[in-house]
Amino acid sequence: MRGTITQTYICSGSPGRETSKRLNMSLTSILSAEAIENAVKDCQGIAKINQHHWTLMNISPTAPDSFCYKKFFQLCGLSQKSPQEVKDVFRIIDEDNSGFIEEAELKFFLQRFFPGARTLTEKEIKSLLTAADDDSDGKIGAEEFQTMVLS
């Protein structure tokens, strides 16, 4: 499921026993659905909500290569969140749980927030990488993401 992460933690119990605790986290547990909707609308076109799910209608979508990550983070409310909440969002975007957001994951960046959203263009992906990839390893780590979002 896009926009949701489930992590399993192994906790020590009595000797020889382990218990697992699941933490279910979604973007809407951190950001409001309305703020996400507004941010996606700004990037893509018009979003319409019906009783059961969101439907994107590509009415007057913005031009390709127009994604502005700073504006997106501001509109969805992420730039006003705590460093820990930003790291939680990072873990949701890091779909393969590698500890990094790679180019392939950046392509579907908007879809992590809203399943029907458009993919980012190569130019937009490069712009995000340039803004965040401080160590030039071609991927974005949690600290790099946090710095980009909160700066």
Side-chain angles (χ1 to χ4, degrees):
M1 172 185 253
R2 292 201 178 277
T4 304
I5 187 170
T6 302
Q7 295 181 329
T8 302
Y9 297 93
I10 303 300
C11 306
S12 297
S14 303
R17 282 185 56 191
E18 293 180 338
T19 59
S20 66
K21 174 180 149 187
R22 291 204 175 271
L23 169 66
N24 289 316
M25 191 181 346
S26 72
L27 287 170
T28 55
S29 68
I30 300 167
L31 304 169
S32 80
E34 181 181 351
I36 292 171
E37 176 190 356
N38 288 335
V40 171
K41 278 170 46 176
D42 186 72
C43 297
Q44 177 150 321
I46 306 298
K48 178 181 176 183
I49 299 179
N50 70 25
Q51 286 179 299
H52 303 290
H53 66 282
W54 291 357
T55 304
L56 275 180
M57 299 170 16
N58 285 323
I59 300 171
S60 63
T62 15
D65 301 328
S66 64
F67 175 71
C68 175
Y69 63 88
K70 285 186 180 189
K71 185 176 182 184
F72 181 81
F73 294 146
Q74 186 172 18
L75 287 174
C76 74
L78 188 56
S79 60
Q80 291 83 38
K81 296 297 179 181
S82 71
Q84 183 57 53
E85 289 169 313
V86 172
K87 285 183 181 179
D88 291 342
V89 169
F90 171 88
R91 290 198 309 264
I92 293 168
I93 296 168
D94 177 20
E95 193 166 346
D96 65 1
N97 297 315
S98 66
F100 297 96
I101 302 171
E102 295 93 0
E103 281 192 52
E105 290 166 316
L106 286 174
K107 180 176 183 176
F108 301 102
F109 180 83
L110 291 175
Q111 292 179 4
R112 298 297 288 156
F113 287 85
F114 189 97
R118 70 179 179 87
T119 57
L120 294 183
T121 65
E122 288 300 316
K123 184 177 178 182
E124 292 167 332
I125 292 168
K126 296 295 182 201
S127 175
L128 269 172
L129 273 174
T130 300
D133 186 16
D134 292 333
D135 59 7
S136 300
D137 63 356
K139 51 193 175 185
I140 301 170
E143 296 294 326
E144 292 171 320
F145 183 76
Q146 179 184 319
T147 299
M148 175 180 64
V149 169
L150 298 177
S151 62

